Amino acid sequence: MHTISEEVSGGRRRRREHSAEFKAQVVAACSAPGVSSAAVAMAHGLNPNLARRWVREAERCDGGVLVKAANSVVPTAFVPVQLPPAQAVPTDIRVELRRGPIAISVSWPCTAASQCAAWMRELLR
């Protein structure tokens, strides 16, 4: 039984050709801090060795197409973020316990949170 799919016409596989823009995009993604070049390569369907080779070529190339395109792919800019107004910090811990028909409501100062936790452990034992 022949399980290998039929070869490409002519019996030879063709090499994939990638555009300079695609290479620049991969190089820029690999150059980001804290990013694994192997992960970037696999996410783009490439062999990690190929992506590493493109990065090395881009580092060696002074003023080449890859370096210029890689620098223009990831623009850096300051983006101001509006934070919501600060909310008041609660001063009390409010606990409501129900066990069967009995309900207990307790208000405890936040400064004594560890004592509140100890009390609740003893109560719920």
Side-chain angles (χ1 to χ4, degrees), residues 18-34:
H18 302 284
S19 67
E21 291 81 19
F22 177 75
K23 290 179 183 181
Q25 181 183 6
V26 172
V27 167
C30 289
S31 300

Side-chain angles (χ1 to χ4, degrees), residues 57-77:
E57 289 173 358
E59 289 170 351
R60 268 191 251 132
C61 186
D62 291 332
V65 175
L66 288 177
V67 173
K68 287 181 184 174
N71 291 337
S72 66
V73 170
V74 183
T76 57

Side-chain angles (χ1 to χ4, degrees), residues 1-120:
M1 172 184 246
H2 184 64
T3 57
I4 299 174
S5 62
E6 298 296 10
E7 284 78 22
V8 179
S9 62
R12 297 184 66 180
R13 292 178 80 188
R14 293 190 55 204
R15 285 185 180 235
R16 292 188 295 174
E17 294 181 9
H18 302 284
S19 67
E21 291 81 19
F22 177 75
K23 290 179 183 181
Q25 181 183 6
V26 172
V27 167
C30 289
S31 300
V35 175
S36 163
S37 59
V40 170
M42 292 191 310
H44 287 87
L46 300 171
N47 184 305
N49 294 329
L50 179 61
R52 183 65 197 130
R53 187 176 76 197
W54 289 350
V55 170
R56 268 194 322 269
E57 289 173 358
E59 289 170 351
R60 268 191 251 132
C61 186
D62 291 332
V65 175
L66 288 177
V67 173
K68 287 181 184 174
N71 291 337
S72 66
V73 170
V74 183
T76 57
F78 176 74
V79 178
V81 176
Q82 189 72 283
L83 297 175
Q87 296 179 355
V89 178
T91 58
D92 289 340
I93 299 171
R94 298 194 188 277
V95 179
E96 185 174 325
L97 301 171
R98 293 180 188 220
R99 192 174 269 182
I102 300 172
I104 300 173
S105 294
V106 178
S107 180
W108 205 288
C110 285
T111 56
S114 59
Q115 290 88 355
C116 179
W119 175 79
M120 285 182 61

